[in-house]
Amino acid sequence: MPITKRTPLPVAEAVNKIMSHIQPWGIEKVSITECDHRILAEDLTATHDVPPFNRSPYDGFAIRSDDTKHASLDHPITLNVVETIGAGQVATLEVKSGTTVRIMTGAQIPDGADAVIMLELVKELVNDNKNQIIIKRTVQKDENISFQGEDTQNGTLLVKAGTKITPGIVAILATFGYHTVSVYKRPVVGILSTGTELLDVNEELKPGKIRNSNAYMCAAQVRAMGAEVKLYQHREDNFDSLYKSIKAALQETDILITTGGVSVGDYDFLPEVYKKLGADVLFNKIAMRPGSVTTVAVYEDKWLFGLSGNPSACFVGAELFVRPVILKGMNLLKPHCTVRNAKLSSDFPKPNPFTRFVRAVLSEVDDGNVVTPAGLDKSSSVSSLVEANCLIVLPGGTRGWEKGSEVGVITWHGEGSEWPWDHPLFSKSSAIRTVEKQH
Amino acid sequence: MPITKRTPLPVAEAVNKIMSHIQPWGIEKVSITECDHRILAEDLTATHDVPPFNRSPYDGFAIRSDDTKHASLDHPITLNVVETIGAGQVATLEVKSGTTVRIMTGAQIPDGADAVIMLELVKELVNDNKNQIIIKRTVQKDENISFQGEDTQNGTLLVKAGTKITPGIVAILATFGYHTVSVYKRPVVGILSTGTELLDVNEELKPGKIRNSNAYMCAAQVRAMGAEVKLYQHREDNFDSLYKSIKAALQETDILITTGGVSVGDYDFLPEVYKKLGADVLFNKIAMRPGSVTTVAVYEDKWLFGLSGNPSACFVGAELFVRPVILKGMNLLKPHCTVRNAKLSSDFPKPNPFTRFVRAVLSEVDDGNVVTPAGLDKSSSVSSLVEANCLIVLPGGTRGWEKGSEVGVITWHGEGSEWPWDHPLFSKSSAIRTVEKQH
């Protein structure tokens, strides 16, 4: 088999190529009880004022402030309590001069009243079988009234489409009567691992074989990105069986992720599969470690992600390339990994001919972020994936890095970013400047 | 109705009271495809070495290094290719002197071989119908071999019980054959809003009424904490109906959250419900704003959380008090909100007689975190819940805060904390020190 010459693309260019092909996934309505973490496909506007009516912020008495104009310690005034209302009840009587309505927090201010005096500030008594209160101070007009619309006015834009639904947004939905809400559809992502060496998770080890961990890991990543996963039985390295399985899987998925088989070895059949499908290969070589052979292709309206069979490369490929396709297709405003700056906590002596993604642990200390490479940085290591919560991004063309250097990291936690790849610390020139500053 | 005197408890003491009552939720087995975000109830150990056998990290040729002892540009040596193996295949022949096995990445090193030379470094030819390679350099023993166990050794403890399952941990599960895994059960959390003023989300507004937003918001918070939610129809402020509904809901839930009805107003019936149930009220007044009337009680092996009907207080109460009960009951190592330091981006002139929790937006800038109060800080405001991603914690007994002050915040994002309440910035003394430093 001829070894095809592949031209490595810088990471930013590779992601850019992907971005220009993304189409939205479409819209569906879901119930307010099933919309957690979904991406809004409609703007949310206030459908009424909040509060929707003038209401009492305290337990107290609704009064006419005019009645208290001359009230003082020496000249207390007396009002007749004509009614009591709790939240949700509406007074049947108007508050006329000399009268008051006992009112609980959240209840609508009765007609005629223009102020509320708190429970603790009055003396209650029963006189001649009538409930009365005594007030020994003046109360200003509008005192202790939450006015209609003072929090939010009818028609106010509250949340923009493209925002992820949080518990706070659920409160908005409920308040304004959105019992269903328009959200972007979640694409169906198929995951199909390839490799004659693979066993399923419930199989016993055999000589030369390892269990398939990529598919399960990748499925968890993709579910965390908010897509639906279809897990396919892994396949041996056999062109006909692979072609058939992939062609079939494409019928029932929006995105098909394969793992393994994308390199140039004797049993790497994915390049031929793309060819026979007639898929448009956007790139098949990226100037990055790990995962330089990551291949992305489009076929009709479907996506094909050929991730490396190496667990670490597979993980990185999903976060860098699959994530924005899923999330930008939902019009999420920040579809990429979050970017952070951090101080490197130990030397990283390896040179970086290509952009290197180092699994690492980011932690916040008193004066900023610190990042520590996670365990061994062998690309075969699965154990360092346990502690890693970010990837250090070391620009290609840089030599080793010293403890204390300022580096850029990307993380799948946090609010995401609009476009991480123009971050100054991700380019060689600023990296060299940083290293020089150390000396 | 008599106004009961309640003694406000400092927040830390209130949480502490809760912590001493927490019992684990029990353990269940779940499938590897359904364990995302669950909390491990067993330690994960390596059930075999990784790699499980000596393997090739590259496409190349497995050789006996001794054969190349005298190889050089001037004295190339020739080896006969006796077999080709891909990953997952095991060589049938031993590599004897003068022979080699073509080997692909991930395949097991054949018997007899003690090194691999990369594909790019040999010349392949066919001679006399036999495949041969020519090598023009020496190869060291053990060169390009990934040794059995070099990443992880059989029996190594990889992940401790009490850890939340991430995609990286799913990879560990798959690698080591855990097709099911022991996790802590998710408690069933009932949510029942009280208040005659409440309408359901699909009802039209009526005078004096508002839609129930607390139950839906709280449900989303509790699901995000990893528990299962049972949403009950909201109830009017009527003692008999409330008592009956709460008693019934307790039969099918581990935790019952009510919203509203815990204050001392005429229609606040929750205190009487606790009394009639014979529930053990841990506290019913906390030295905090909002949510000072938050009440927590235990009844048999159930929890009762009486959150305030005010949306902001309800939100805060769930994060401060319900979160650790759910997560500590799953033995999560960090069951509380995450703590961060940040610089206040604007003045906060209100004095804080009690510990104040201000909804705010935390963002990372080049030289640390900045936090900005979210919108109006009216406790009735639902709209500021949209942008808020944290709560500023202003210790009780402090006056207003100036722009630029260092403050502590807690957030429901991030890795959680073991115990946030001894953070120096949450105590009055350090706060005063901080304020003084400003002048």
Short mmCIF file of all heavy atoms in Angstrom, two decimals, chain B residues 110-164:
data_model
loop_
_atom_site.label_atom_id
_atom_site.label_comp_id
_atom_site.label_asym_id
_atom_site.label_seq_id
_atom_site.Cartn_x
_atom_site.Cartn_y
_atom_site.Cartn_z
N PRO B 110 6.71 -10.09 18.93
CA PRO B 110 6.82 -11.55 18.77
C PRO B 110 7.94 -12.12 19.64
O PRO B 110 8.90 -11.41 19.98
CB PRO B 110 7.17 -11.72 17.28
CG PRO B 110 6.92 -10.41 16.63
CD PRO B 110 7.05 -9.37 17.69
N ASP B 111 7.81 -13.37 20.00
CA ASP B 111 8.90 -14.04 20.73
C ASP B 111 10.19 -13.91 19.93
O ASP B 111 10.18 -13.95 18.70
CB ASP B 111 8.57 -15.53 20.91
CG ASP B 111 7.44 -15.73 21.91
OD1 ASP B 111 7.11 -14.77 22.63
OD2 ASP B 111 6.87 -16.85 21.94
N GLY B 112 11.28 -13.79 20.62
CA GLY B 112 12.59 -13.73 19.97
C GLY B 112 13.03 -12.31 19.68
O GLY B 112 14.21 -12.00 19.73
N ALA B 113 12.09 -11.42 19.39
CA ALA B 113 12.45 -10.03 19.07
C ALA B 113 12.69 -9.26 20.37
O ALA B 113 12.03 -9.52 21.38
CB ALA B 113 11.34 -9.36 18.25
N ASP B 114 13.60 -8.29 20.34
CA ASP B 114 13.83 -7.45 21.53
C ASP B 114 13.92 -5.97 21.16
O ASP B 114 14.37 -5.14 21.95
CB ASP B 114 15.09 -7.91 22.27
CG ASP B 114 16.36 -7.72 21.45
OD1 ASP B 114 16.26 -7.21 20.30
OD2 ASP B 114 17.45 -8.07 21.94
N ALA B 115 13.50 -5.61 19.95
CA ALA B 115 13.50 -4.21 19.54
C ALA B 115 12.62 -4.06 18.29
O ALA B 115 12.31 -5.05 17.62
CB ALA B 115 14.91 -3.73 19.24
N VAL B 116 12.26 -2.81 18.03
CA VAL B 116 11.49 -2.51 16.81
C VAL B 116 12.21 -1.38 16.09
O VAL B 116 12.66 -0.42 16.72
CB VAL B 116 10.04 -2.10 17.14
CG1 VAL B 116 9.32 -1.54 15.92
CG2 VAL B 116 9.25 -3.29 17.71
N ILE B 117 12.35 -1.51 14.79
CA ILE B 117 12.88 -0.40 13.99
C ILE B 117 11.72 0.17 13.17
O ILE B 117 10.90 -0.58 12.61
CB ILE B 117 14.09 -0.82 13.13
CG1 ILE B 117 14.63 0.42 12.39
CG2 ILE B 117 13.74 -1.94 12.16
CD1 ILE B 117 16.02 0.22 11.81
N MET B 118 11.62 1.51 13.16
CA MET B 118 10.49 2.14 12.49
C MET B 118 10.54 1.94 10.98
O MET B 118 11.62 1.91 10.38
CB MET B 118 10.45 3.63 12.82
CG MET B 118 10.05 3.91 14.26
SD MET B 118 10.41 5.62 14.75
CE MET B 118 9.07 6.49 13.95
N LEU B 119 9.36 1.86 10.40
CA LEU B 119 9.17 1.67 8.96
C LEU B 119 10.04 2.61 8.13
O LEU B 119 10.67 2.20 7.15
CB LEU B 119 7.70 1.96 8.64
CG LEU B 119 6.94 1.07 7.68
CD1 LEU B 119 7.07 -0.40 8.08
CD2 LEU B 119 5.45 1.46 7.64
N GLU B 120 10.08 3.88 8.54
CA GLU B 120 10.77 4.90 7.76
C GLU B 120 12.28 4.69 7.73
O GLU B 120 12.97 5.30 6.91
CB GLU B 120 10.52 6.31 8.35
CG GLU B 120 9.07 6.71 8.51
CD GLU B 120 8.45 6.27 9.83
OE1 GLU B 120 8.33 5.03 10.00
OE2 GLU B 120 8.10 7.11 10.64
N LEU B 121 12.81 3.86 8.64
CA LEU B 121 14.26 3.74 8.75
C LEU B 121 14.83 2.52 8.03
O LEU B 121 16.02 2.24 8.11
CB LEU B 121 14.68 3.71 10.23
CG LEU B 121 14.33 4.97 11.03
CD1 LEU B 121 14.77 4.83 12.49
CD2 LEU B 121 14.99 6.20 10.41
N VAL B 122 13.96 1.78 7.35
CA VAL B 122 14.47 0.60 6.63
C VAL B 122 14.15 0.75 5.14
O VAL B 122 13.31 1.56 4.74
CB VAL B 122 13.82 -0.71 7.14
CG1 VAL B 122 13.98 -0.85 8.65
CG2 VAL B 122 12.36 -0.80 6.73
N LYS B 123 14.85 -0.03 4.37
CA LYS B 123 14.52 -0.11 2.95
C LYS B 123 13.88 -1.48 2.72
O LYS B 123 14.43 -2.51 3.12
CB LYS B 123 15.81 0.03 2.12
CG LYS B 123 15.50 0.11 0.65
CD LYS B 123 16.62 0.54 -0.22
CE LYS B 123 16.07 0.45 -1.63
NZ LYS B 123 17.02 0.17 -2.65
N GLU B 124 12.70 -1.48 2.09
CA GLU B 124 12.02 -2.76 1.83
C GLU B 124 12.30 -3.18 0.39
O GLU B 124 12.31 -2.35 -0.51
CB GLU B 124 10.52 -2.61 2.04
CG GLU B 124 10.18 -2.24 3.48
CD GLU B 124 8.68 -2.04 3.70
OE1 GLU B 124 7.96 -3.05 3.65
OE2 GLU B 124 8.25 -0.89 3.89
N LEU B 125 12.49 -4.46 0.19
CA LEU B 125 12.67 -4.94 -1.19
C LEU B 125 12.19 -6.38 -1.30
O LEU B 125 11.94 -7.05 -0.28
CB LEU B 125 14.13 -4.81 -1.64
CG LEU B 125 15.14 -5.74 -1.00
CD1 LEU B 125 16.43 -5.76 -1.86
CD2 LEU B 125 15.49 -5.26 0.39
N VAL B 126 11.99 -6.79 -2.53
CA VAL B 126 11.63 -8.19 -2.77
C VAL B 126 12.79 -8.82 -3.52
O VAL B 126 13.22 -8.32 -4.56
CB VAL B 126 10.33 -8.31 -3.60
CG1 VAL B 126 9.99 -9.79 -3.83
CG2 VAL B 126 9.19 -7.60 -2.88
N ASN B 127 13.31 -9.87 -2.97
CA ASN B 127 14.50 -10.50 -3.53
C ASN B 127 14.22 -11.99 -3.64
O ASN B 127 13.92 -12.64 -2.63
CB ASN B 127 15.68 -10.23 -2.59
CG ASN B 127 17.01 -10.55 -3.26
OD1 ASN B 127 17.03 -11.00 -4.41
ND2 ASN B 127 18.09 -10.33 -2.54
N ASP B 128 14.26 -12.51 -4.88
CA ASP B 128 14.05 -13.95 -5.02
C ASP B 128 12.69 -14.36 -4.46
O ASP B 128 12.56 -15.38 -3.78
CB ASP B 128 15.16 -14.67 -4.22
CG ASP B 128 15.69 -15.86 -5.02
OD1 ASP B 128 15.22 -16.06 -6.14
OD2 ASP B 128 16.58 -16.55 -4.47
N ASN B 129 11.69 -13.49 -4.74
CA ASN B 129 10.34 -13.75 -4.23
C ASN B 129 10.21 -13.69 -2.70
O ASN B 129 9.18 -14.05 -2.16
CB ASN B 129 9.83 -15.12 -4.70
CG ASN B 129 8.87 -14.93 -5.87
OD1 ASN B 129 8.37 -13.81 -6.09
ND2 ASN B 129 8.64 -15.99 -6.63
N LYS B 130 11.27 -13.25 -2.03
CA LYS B 130 11.18 -13.12 -0.57
C LYS B 130 11.20 -11.63 -0.20
O LYS B 130 11.96 -10.86 -0.79
CB LYS B 130 12.37 -13.82 0.09
CG LYS B 130 12.21 -15.34 0.10
CD LYS B 130 13.18 -15.99 1.06
CE LYS B 130 14.59 -15.90 0.47
NZ LYS B 130 15.55 -16.86 1.08
N ASN B 131 10.35 -11.28 0.76
CA ASN B 131 10.37 -9.91 1.27
C ASN B 131 11.56 -9.75 2.20
O ASN B 131 11.77 -10.58 3.09
CB ASN B 131 9.09 -9.60 2.04
CG ASN B 131 7.90 -9.48 1.10
OD1 ASN B 131 7.97 -8.81 0.08
ND2 ASN B 131 6.83 -10.18 1.43
N GLN B 132 12.29 -8.67 1.96
CA GLN B 132 13.45 -8.42 2.80
C GLN B 132 13.48 -6.95 3.22
O GLN B 132 12.87 -6.09 2.58
CB GLN B 132 14.74 -8.75 2.03
CG GLN B 132 14.86 -10.21 1.69
CD GLN B 132 16.21 -10.54 1.07
OE1 GLN B 132 16.74 -9.75 0.28
NE2 GLN B 132 16.77 -11.69 1.43
N ILE B 133 14.22 -6.67 4.30
CA ILE B 133 14.50 -5.27 4.64
C ILE B 133 16.00 -5.09 4.81
O ILE B 133 16.71 -6.03 5.16
CB ILE B 133 13.78 -4.80 5.92
CG1 ILE B 133 14.18 -5.66 7.14
CG2 ILE B 133 12.27 -4.79 5.74
CD1 ILE B 133 13.71 -5.09 8.48
N ILE B 134 16.42 -3.86 4.54
CA ILE B 134 17.83 -3.52 4.72
C ILE B 134 17.92 -2.47 5.83
O ILE B 134 17.17 -1.48 5.83
CB ILE B 134 18.43 -2.98 3.40
CG1 ILE B 134 18.44 -4.11 2.37
CG2 ILE B 134 19.83 -2.42 3.63
CD1 ILE B 134 18.89 -3.70 1.00
N ILE B 135 18.80 -2.71 6.79
CA ILE B 135 18.98 -1.82 7.94
C ILE B 135 20.42 -1.28 7.91
O ILE B 135 21.36 -2.05 7.76
CB ILE B 135 18.73 -2.56 9.26
CG1 ILE B 135 17.30 -3.11 9.29
CG2 ILE B 135 18.98 -1.65 10.48
CD1 ILE B 135 16.93 -3.86 10.56
N LYS B 136 20.54 0.06 8.06
CA LYS B 136 21.86 0.68 7.95
C LYS B 136 22.32 1.34 9.25
O LYS B 136 23.03 2.35 9.23
CB LYS B 136 21.83 1.75 6.84
CG LYS B 136 21.56 1.17 5.46
CD LYS B 136 21.50 2.27 4.40
CE LYS B 136 21.32 1.65 3.01
NZ LYS B 136 21.19 2.67 1.96
N ARG B 137 21.83 0.84 10.38
CA ARG B 137 22.24 1.42 11.67
C ARG B 137 22.09 0.35 12.74
O ARG B 137 21.40 -0.67 12.53
CB ARG B 137 21.39 2.64 12.03
CG ARG B 137 19.90 2.48 11.79
CD ARG B 137 19.07 3.43 12.60
NE ARG B 137 19.03 2.98 14.00
CZ ARG B 137 18.27 3.55 14.93
NH1 ARG B 137 17.51 4.58 14.64
NH2 ARG B 137 18.28 3.09 16.18
N THR B 138 22.66 0.60 13.89
CA THR B 138 22.45 -0.35 14.98
C THR B 138 21.16 0.02 15.71
O THR B 138 20.75 1.19 15.75
CB THR B 138 23.61 -0.33 16.00
OG1 THR B 138 23.71 1.00 16.51
CG2 THR B 138 24.93 -0.72 15.34
N VAL B 139 20.55 -1.00 16.26
CA VAL B 139 19.33 -0.79 17.06
C VAL B 139 19.63 -1.36 18.44
O VAL B 139 20.19 -2.46 18.55
CB VAL B 139 18.13 -1.50 16.41
CG1 VAL B 139 16.88 -1.32 17.26
CG2 VAL B 139 17.89 -0.99 14.98
N GLN B 140 19.31 -0.59 19.48
CA GLN B 140 19.58 -1.05 20.84
C GLN B 140 18.50 -2.02 21.30
O GLN B 140 17.34 -1.93 20.88
CB GLN B 140 19.60 0.14 21.81
CG GLN B 140 20.64 1.20 21.47
CD GLN B 140 22.05 0.63 21.40
OE1 GLN B 140 22.47 -0.11 22.28
NE2 GLN B 140 22.78 0.93 20.32
N LYS B 141 18.90 -2.92 22.16
CA LYS B 141 17.96 -3.79 22.84
C LYS B 141 16.89 -2.91 23.50
O LYS B 141 17.20 -1.83 24.00
CB LYS B 141 18.72 -4.60 23.90
CG LYS B 141 17.90 -5.61 24.67
CD LYS B 141 18.82 -6.56 25.47
CE LYS B 141 18.03 -7.63 26.21
NZ LYS B 141 17.05 -7.13 27.17
N ASP B 142 15.63 -3.33 23.45
CA ASP B 142 14.49 -2.64 24.08
C ASP B 142 14.05 -1.36 23.35
O ASP B 142 13.11 -0.69 23.79
CB ASP B 142 14.77 -2.27 25.55
CG ASP B 142 15.03 -3.49 26.42
OD1 ASP B 142 14.71 -4.62 25.97
OD2 ASP B 142 15.54 -3.32 27.53
N GLU B 143 14.74 -1.02 22.24
CA GLU B 143 14.36 0.21 21.53
C GLU B 143 12.94 0.04 20.96
O GLU B 143 12.62 -1.00 20.38
CB GLU B 143 15.38 0.46 20.40
CG GLU B 143 15.53 1.94 20.06
CD GLU B 143 16.67 2.21 19.05
OE1 GLU B 143 17.78 1.70 19.25
OE2 GLU B 143 16.39 2.90 18.06
N ASN B 144 12.14 1.07 21.12
CA ASN B 144 10.77 1.08 20.58
C ASN B 144 9.92 -0.11 21.03
O ASN B 144 9.19 -0.71 20.23
CB ASN B 144 10.79 1.14 19.05
CG ASN B 144 11.33 2.47 18.56
OD1 ASN B 144 11.19 3.50 19.24
ND2 ASN B 144 11.97 2.47 17.41
N ILE B 145 10.03 -0.41 22.29
CA ILE B 145 9.10 -1.40 22.85
C ILE B 145 8.37 -0.72 24.01
O ILE B 145 8.99 -0.10 24.87
CB ILE B 145 9.83 -2.66 23.35
CG1 ILE B 145 10.41 -3.40 22.14
CG2 ILE B 145 8.89 -3.58 24.14
CD1 ILE B 145 11.07 -4.72 22.44
N SER B 146 7.06 -0.81 23.99
CA SER B 146 6.28 -0.39 25.15
C SER B 146 6.13 -1.62 26.02
O SER B 146 5.49 -2.60 25.61
CB SER B 146 4.89 0.11 24.74
OG SER B 146 5.00 1.28 23.98
N PHE B 147 6.70 -1.56 27.20
CA PHE B 147 6.75 -2.77 28.03
C PHE B 147 5.47 -2.99 28.83
O PHE B 147 4.83 -2.03 29.29
CB PHE B 147 7.96 -2.71 28.96
CG PHE B 147 9.23 -2.99 28.23
CD1 PHE B 147 10.02 -1.95 27.76
CD2 PHE B 147 9.60 -4.30 27.94
CE1 PHE B 147 11.17 -2.20 27.05
CE2 PHE B 147 10.75 -4.56 27.21
CZ PHE B 147 11.55 -3.51 26.76
N GLN B 148 5.18 -4.27 28.96
CA GLN B 148 4.04 -4.68 29.79
C GLN B 148 4.11 -3.97 31.14
O GLN B 148 5.14 -4.00 31.81
CB GLN B 148 4.07 -6.20 29.99
CG GLN B 148 2.98 -6.69 30.92
CD GLN B 148 2.89 -8.22 30.98
OE1 GLN B 148 3.42 -8.91 30.09
NE2 GLN B 148 2.22 -8.73 31.99
N GLY B 149 3.02 -3.31 31.54
CA GLY B 149 2.94 -2.68 32.87
C GLY B 149 3.64 -1.35 32.98
O GLY B 149 3.65 -0.75 34.06
N GLU B 150 4.22 -0.82 31.89
CA GLU B 150 4.97 0.43 32.06
C GLU B 150 4.04 1.62 32.31
O GLU B 150 4.44 2.61 32.92
CB GLU B 150 5.94 0.70 30.90
CG GLU B 150 5.29 1.15 29.63
CD GLU B 150 6.31 1.56 28.56
OE1 GLU B 150 7.49 1.16 28.64
OE2 GLU B 150 5.90 2.28 27.63
N ASP B 151 2.82 1.54 31.84
CA ASP B 151 1.88 2.62 32.14
C ASP B 151 1.26 2.39 33.53
O ASP B 151 1.33 3.24 34.41
CB ASP B 151 0.80 2.68 31.05
CG ASP B 151 -0.29 3.70 31.35
OD1 ASP B 151 -0.12 4.50 32.29
OD2 ASP B 151 -1.31 3.69 30.63
N THR B 152 0.70 1.21 33.73
CA THR B 152 -0.01 0.89 34.98
C THR B 152 0.21 -0.57 35.31
O THR B 152 0.13 -1.42 34.42
CB THR B 152 -1.52 1.14 34.81
OG1 THR B 152 -1.73 2.48 34.37
CG2 THR B 152 -2.29 0.92 36.11
N GLN B 153 0.46 -0.83 36.58
CA GLN B 153 0.64 -2.23 36.97
C GLN B 153 -0.62 -2.81 37.57
O GLN B 153 -1.39 -2.10 38.23
CB GLN B 153 1.80 -2.34 37.96
CG GLN B 153 3.13 -2.05 37.27
CD GLN B 153 4.30 -2.35 38.15
OE1 GLN B 153 4.19 -2.39 39.37
NE2 GLN B 153 5.45 -2.57 37.52
N ASN B 154 -0.81 -4.09 37.29
CA ASN B 154 -1.93 -4.84 37.85
C ASN B 154 -2.05 -4.54 39.35
O ASN B 154 -1.06 -4.57 40.06
CB ASN B 154 -1.68 -6.34 37.61
CG ASN B 154 -2.89 -7.18 37.98
OD1 ASN B 154 -3.96 -6.64 38.28
ND2 ASN B 154 -2.73 -8.49 37.95
N GLY B 155 -3.26 -4.24 39.79
CA GLY B 155 -3.49 -4.03 41.22
C GLY B 155 -3.35 -2.59 41.67
O GLY B 155 -3.72 -2.26 42.81
N THR B 156 -2.88 -1.70 40.79
CA THR B 156 -2.73 -0.29 41.18
C THR B 156 -4.11 0.34 41.45
O THR B 156 -5.04 0.15 40.67
CB THR B 156 -2.06 0.50 40.04
OG1 THR B 156 -0.85 -0.16 39.68
CG2 THR B 156 -1.78 1.93 40.45
N LEU B 157 -4.20 1.07 42.55
CA LEU B 157 -5.43 1.82 42.83
C LEU B 157 -5.47 3.03 41.89
O LEU B 157 -4.56 3.85 41.89
CB LEU B 157 -5.44 2.30 44.29
CG LEU B 157 -6.58 3.26 44.66
CD1 LEU B 157 -7.94 2.61 44.49
CD2 LEU B 157 -6.41 3.77 46.08
N LEU B 158 -6.51 3.11 41.08
CA LEU B 158 -6.57 4.18 40.07
C LEU B 158 -7.52 5.30 40.46
O LEU B 158 -7.24 6.47 40.23
CB LEU B 158 -6.97 3.60 38.72
CG LEU B 158 -5.96 2.63 38.12
CD1 LEU B 158 -6.55 1.91 36.92
CD2 LEU B 158 -4.68 3.35 37.73
N VAL B 159 -8.68 4.95 40.98
CA VAL B 159 -9.67 5.97 41.32
C VAL B 159 -10.33 5.56 42.64
O VAL B 159 -10.71 4.40 42.81
CB VAL B 159 -10.77 6.10 40.25
CG1 VAL B 159 -11.57 7.37 40.46
CG2 VAL B 159 -10.19 6.06 38.84
N LYS B 160 -10.46 6.52 43.54
CA LYS B 160 -11.05 6.21 44.85
C LYS B 160 -12.57 6.34 44.84
O LYS B 160 -13.12 7.20 44.14
CB LYS B 160 -10.51 7.20 45.88
CG LYS B 160 -9.13 6.85 46.39
CD LYS B 160 -8.83 7.69 47.63
CE LYS B 160 -7.36 7.63 47.99
NZ LYS B 160 -6.95 8.81 48.74
N ALA B 161 -13.21 5.53 45.65
CA ALA B 161 -14.65 5.69 45.88
C ALA B 161 -14.90 7.13 46.31
O ALA B 161 -14.03 7.75 46.95
CB ALA B 161 -15.11 4.73 46.96
N GLY B 162 -16.06 7.67 45.96
CA GLY B 162 -16.36 9.06 46.32
C GLY B 162 -15.99 10.04 45.22
O GLY B 162 -16.16 11.24 45.38
N THR B 163 -15.49 9.50 44.09
CA THR B 163 -15.12 10.36 42.97
C THR B 163 -16.26 10.38 41.95
O THR B 163 -16.89 9.35 41.71
CB THR B 163 -13.84 9.82 42.30
OG1 THR B 163 -12.82 9.68 43.29
CG2 THR B 163 -13.35 10.74 41.19
N LYS B 164 -16.49 11.53 41.35
CA LYS B 164 -17.52 11.63 40.31
C LYS B 164 -16.97 11.05 39.01
O LYS B 164 -15.84 11.32 38.63
CB LYS B 164 -17.90 13.10 40.11
CG LYS B 164 -19.11 13.29 39.21
CD LYS B 164 -19.45 14.75 39.00
CE LYS B 164 -20.27 15.28 40.16
NZ LYS B 164 -20.80 16.63 39.88
#
